[in-house]
Amino acid sequence: MGVVGRNDTHSTNSPEDTVISSLSPRARKASAVAAALAVTAVLGATAVAATDDHGKGGKQEVAAVRGSAEFMLPYYPDDDVRSFTFDAEAAPYSNPQPGIPTGLPTDAKGTVKISHYSAERKVTYTSEARVDCLVTGPHTATLTAVVTKVGPGGPPNVGKRLGFSVHDGGKDGGPGRSHDRVGFSWNGVNLDPKGKGQPEELPVGTCMAPAPYAPVTKGGYTVHHAELPQMPGQGKR
C-alpha cells in the first residue's frame, strides 16, 4: 500500500534548490539577494574587460584632419589668397586593391576643397578632390586626394592625385598669430630634374606630401591622431 500524498515521479529539483527550499523565508530572501549581487559583479567585470579591449565604449580611435585656412607662400609673397579646406577621416582596410584584398591601414575618406584667388586676374579658381589616404602623428598629418571637380578656368587635372601635409600648431595666439602650417605637392616640389631639360612633375603616390612649409595666415586645422590599426584577423601582440 502506498503512502497517501507521496509523489512517485522523479524530482527535477537541483541540490541547490533542495537546500534553499529547506531554509526559512528570511534566509531564502538573503540567499536570493546574495545571488543577484554576484551576477551583477560578474556582468560589471565583463563590461570593464570589454572596455579595456576596445577602448572607450568599444569604439576605436579614428584619425582625422578638419578645418579651413588661408596660407602664404614664404618663397613667393604676393596678394593672392590661397586656401585649403579639409574634411578627411581614416577608413582603415576599406579599399581592396589587386594583390591587397584587405585594403590598407591608411585608407581614408572625405574631401579637400582648394581655392586660389588671383589678385592679378581678379579671378578665383576652385577645385575639389576625394581623399584616398591619411596617416597622422601627434599634431601632424599627410593625406592625398584625387581631383573630382575643377571650376571654370582651372587646370584640366580631374583624376590627378594631390598630396597635402598639415601641422596643427595648437591654440592660436590671436588674429594673424596661427601656428598651423600646410604643404602641398605642386608649385616647385615633387619634380624630376633631367639634366639640361626642364624638370617634370612626378605622379603623387598615396599619402605622399612634402613637409608643411606654408604658414597659415587665417583660420586653422585640427589633427586628431590615431595609431594605424592592425590588419583584420590579427590578434593583439
Side-chain angles (χ1 to χ4, degrees):
M1 181 180 293
V3 178
V4 177
R6 179 178 177 180
N7 187 350
D8 290 331
T9 60
H10 294 290
S11 173
T12 59
N13 290 342
S14 67
E16 291 82 358
D17 292 333
T18 303
V19 172
I20 292 175
S21 64
S22 65
L23 298 175
S24 66
R26 178 176 296 179
R28 286 200 299 271
K29 182 177 181 180
S31 177
V33 171
L37 290 174
V39 171
T40 301
V42 171
L43 292 176
T46 302
V48 170
T51 300
D52 290 342
D53 286 343
H54 301 289
K56 298 178 181 179
K59 294 182 180 179
Q60 184 167 346
E61 293 291 316
V62 176
V65 179
R66 293 187 172 89
S68 183
E70 298 175 5
F71 58 91
M72 63 167 289
L73 300 180
Y75 56 87
Y76 191 75
D78 57 18
D79 294 325
D80 288 8
V81 180
R82 303 169 177 86
S83 70
F84 295 148
T85 299
F86 299 117
D87 184 10
E89 182 177 284
Y93 305 106
S94 62
N95 184 27
Q97 301 180 48
I100 314 176
T102 62
L104 294 168
T106 53
D107 289 344
K109 60 184 179 180
T111 57
V112 176
K113 295 182 179 180
I114 304 169
S115 177
H116 180 183
Y117 169 75
S118 170
E120 179 182 357
R121 301 176 184 177
K122 294 181 173 54
V123 175
T124 299
Y125 303 99
T126 62
S127 59
E128 297 182 13
R130 174 184 53 81
V131 175
D132 65 354
C133 189
L134 170 66
V135 62
T136 64
H139 311 293
T140 188
T142 60
L143 63 149
T144 46
V146 178
V147 177
T148 57
K149 181 179 179 181
V150 177
N157 58 0
V158 171
K160 181 178 181 179
R161 179 178 289 106
L162 305 176
F164 304 88
S165 59
V166 179
H167 170 67
D168 179 356
K171 187 176 181 180
D172 297 339
R177 296 291 300 274
S178 175
H179 300 296
D180 295 354
R181 304 175 71 90
V182 293
F184 50 97
S185 63
W186 64 98
N187 271 21
V189 299
N190 194 40
L191 298 178
D192 181 20
K194 293 184 177 296
K196 295 182 180 180
Q198 183 175 351
E200 295 181 0
E201 184 177 318
L202 293 174
V204 174
T206 56
C207 275
M208 293 291 100
Y213 55 85
V216 164
T217 56
K218 182 179 180 181
Y221 302 109
T222 299
V223 174
H224 181 81
H225 169 58
E227 301 294 348
L228 295 175
Q230 290 187 2
M231 184 180 296
Q234 288 190 343
K236 290 186 176 181
R237 295 181 180 179

